[in-house]
């Protein structure tokens, strides 16, 4: 009781408490809480008060615990601060306060004052126990000068995974393929607009615009033309005129119009000439 009274005298902001009379463990837990104020060496942190609550759950050994009841400090950082302060508190319970080292309030058997002094001296260190909860940024100090500051909050959300180099290369190849397909379509369009040597009719301006729009739309769904398809689009004038389908040459035929002589008639005529020549007729 005297120890708690001495702590209250040294730190006016200290709050004391105990369990309600109806509780089975009354008066435990007995607790004392000090809102530790930000010291000058911690001005870069955006936390101005660190509440440290020491609880005694009974007279038995080890019946102590620490809480950090703050809405500004993330739960995972609260846990680490509590563990650090509890470790120091247990050490204070095992040793006597040095002469002149602490105030009279620290001379009690519970080492409460010494533990609060530790929290004051290590304000910044305690808040920096979890690097994931520190968020640096460029801010302004008391003299309106730019300085590196640290906000304390929950860990940042994980960044989205970057695409692997293999996936990136595949995407680039797809883009190049689409570009080549578009260029081939545009080249074909220009040929149709200019016409060829056979006197092909030129496209109208409306038809040109329509074809251009088709070429632009191919950016999402176009694919590379195969060699066969390109050859089909780029036929020469001779190829466009048609080709022979028969495997053999054209059959030779004699003239069969007016005045034509059949094979039998020609034979009879030759026989008659031979007889006439040799006087057999």
């Amino acid at each position: 009781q005297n120890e708690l009274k001495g702590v209250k005298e040294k730190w006016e902001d200290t709050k004391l408490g105990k369990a309600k009379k109806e509780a089975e463990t009354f008066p435990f837990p007995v607790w004392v809480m000090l809102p530790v104020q930000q010291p000058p060496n911690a001005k870069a942190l955006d936390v101005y008060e660190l509440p440290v609550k020491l609880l005694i759950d009974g007279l038995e050994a080890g019946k102590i615990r620490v809480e950090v009841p703050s809405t500004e400090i993330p739960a995972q950082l609260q846990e680490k601060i509590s563990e650090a302060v509890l470790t120091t508190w247990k050490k204070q319970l095992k040793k006597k306060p040095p002469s002149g080292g602490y105030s009279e309030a620290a001379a009690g058997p519970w080492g409460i004052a010494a533990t609060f002094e530790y929290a004051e001296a290590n304000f910044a260190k305690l808040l920096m126990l979890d690097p994931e909860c520190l968020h640096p940024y460029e801010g302004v100090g008391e003299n309106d000068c730019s300085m590196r500051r640290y906000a304390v909050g929950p860990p940042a959300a994980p960044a989205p995974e970057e695409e692997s180099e293999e996936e990136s290369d595949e995407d680039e190849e797809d883009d190049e393929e689409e570009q080549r397909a578009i260029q081939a379509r545009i080249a074909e369009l220009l040929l149709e607009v200019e016409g060829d040597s056979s006197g092909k009719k030129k496209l109208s301006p409306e038809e040109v615009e329509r074809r251009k729009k088709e070429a632009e739309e191919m950016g999402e769904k176009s694919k590379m033309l195969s060699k066969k398809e390109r050859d089909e689009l780029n036929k020469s004038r001779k190829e466009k005129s048609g080709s022979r389908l028969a495997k053999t040459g054209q059959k030779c035929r004699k003239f069969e119009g007016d005045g034509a002589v059949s094979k039998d008639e020609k034979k009879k005529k030759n026989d008659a000439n031979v007889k006439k020549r040799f006087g057999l007729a």
Side-chain angles (χ1 to χ4, degrees):
Q1 189 74 20
N2 290 334
E3 183 176 4
L4 293 176
K5 184 179 179 181
V7 169
K8 182 68 175 175
E9 289 176 355
K10 180 177 182 180
W11 293 285
E12 296 181 358
D13 294 338
T14 302
K15 295 181 180 180
L16 305 175
K18 59 184 178 181
K20 295 181 179 180
K21 292 182 179 181
E22 298 82 15
E24 296 180 1
T25 57
F26 180 82
F28 299 102
V30 176
W31 57 267
V32 54
M33 183 174 72
L34 174 65
V36 181
Q37 302 302 308
Q38 183 190 70
N41 64 356
K43 292 295 183 181
L45 295 167
D46 286 353
V47 176
Y48 303 99
E49 186 177 279
L50 176 61
V52 177
K53 187 176 183 179
L54 309 181
L55 299 97
I56 303 172
D57 293 325
L59 296 175
E60 298 85 359
K63 288 284 187 177
I64 59 175
R65 53 194 170 94
V66 178
E67 293 180 358
V68 182
S70 172
T71 56
E72 291 183 284
I73 302 174
Q76 67 185 63
L77 180 56
Q78 289 184 24
E79 185 177 348
K80 292 190 175 184
I81 294 174
S82 298
E83 291 176 358
V85 175
L86 181 60
T87 299
T88 299
W89 190 11
K90 288 180 178 179
K91 290 179 180 179
Q92 297 302 328
L93 291 174
K94 295 178 180 179
K95 66 180 182 179
K96 294 181 180 180
S99 57
Y102 298 121
S103 62
E104 292 182 0
W110 294 101
I112 294 174
T115 303
F116 281 155
E117 288 176 355
Y118 163 80
E120 282 185 328
N122 293 275
F123 183 95
K125 183 178 178 180
L126 292 172
L127 289 172
M128 300 176 74
L129 285 174
D130 192 340
E132 292 184 354
C133 296
L134 286 177
H135 308 287
Y137 69 95
E138 291 296 326
V140 179
E142 293 180 347
N143 299 325
D144 294 333
C145 298
S146 60
M147 63 176 293
R148 190 75 162 175
R149 298 191 60 83
Y150 296 88
V152 177
E161 296 183 1
E162 296 182 357
E163 294 182 357
S164 64
E165 293 183 2
E166 184 177 347
E167 292 178 352
S168 179
D169 292 340
E170 289 179 357
D171 291 341
E172 289 179 1
E173 289 178 1
D174 292 341
D175 293 341
E176 291 176 0
E177 186 176 332
E178 290 181 0
Q179 284 295 332
R180 288 195 295 267
I182 294 173
Q183 290 173 0
R185 183 69 185 91
I186 293 175
E188 180 190 352
L189 175 61
L190 292 175
L191 288 174
E192 293 179 353
V193 172
E194 294 173 359
D196 56 23
S197 59
S198 62
K200 183 178 177 180
K201 184 178 179 182
K202 293 185 179 181
L203 299 176
S204 64
E206 293 79 8
E207 186 69 12
V208 171
E209 290 300 323
R210 185 180 67 81
R211 297 289 183 91
K212 283 184 179 179
K213 192 171 295 183
E214 288 179 0
E216 293 173 357
E217 291 174 354
M218 288 178 67
E220 297 179 358
K221 57 184 179 180
S222 63
K223 64 178 182 179
M224 274 298 294
L225 297 176
S226 66
K227 185 176 183 302
K228 184 177 180 181
E229 290 172 327
R230 289 198 300 269
D231 292 342
E232 189 68 24
L233 289 174
N234 299 319
K235 281 185 178 181
S236 65
R237 182 180 178 185
K238 183 177 181 181
E239 289 172 332
K240 291 180 180 180
S241 64
S243 58
R244 187 182 304 281
L245 299 178
K247 294 183 180 179
T248 59
Q250 185 177 7
K251 187 176 181 180
C252 296
R253 295 178 180 274
K254 287 195 173 184
F255 176 67
E256 296 181 355
D258 295 340
V261 179
S262 67
K263 190 174 182 179
D264 292 340
E265 291 178 347
K266 184 177 180 180
K267 187 177 180 181
K268 290 179 180 180
K269 187 175 181 179
N270 288 338
D271 290 343
N273 289 335
V274 171
K275 290 177 180 182
K276 184 178 182 180
R277 182 178 181 181
F278 293 98
L280 299 176

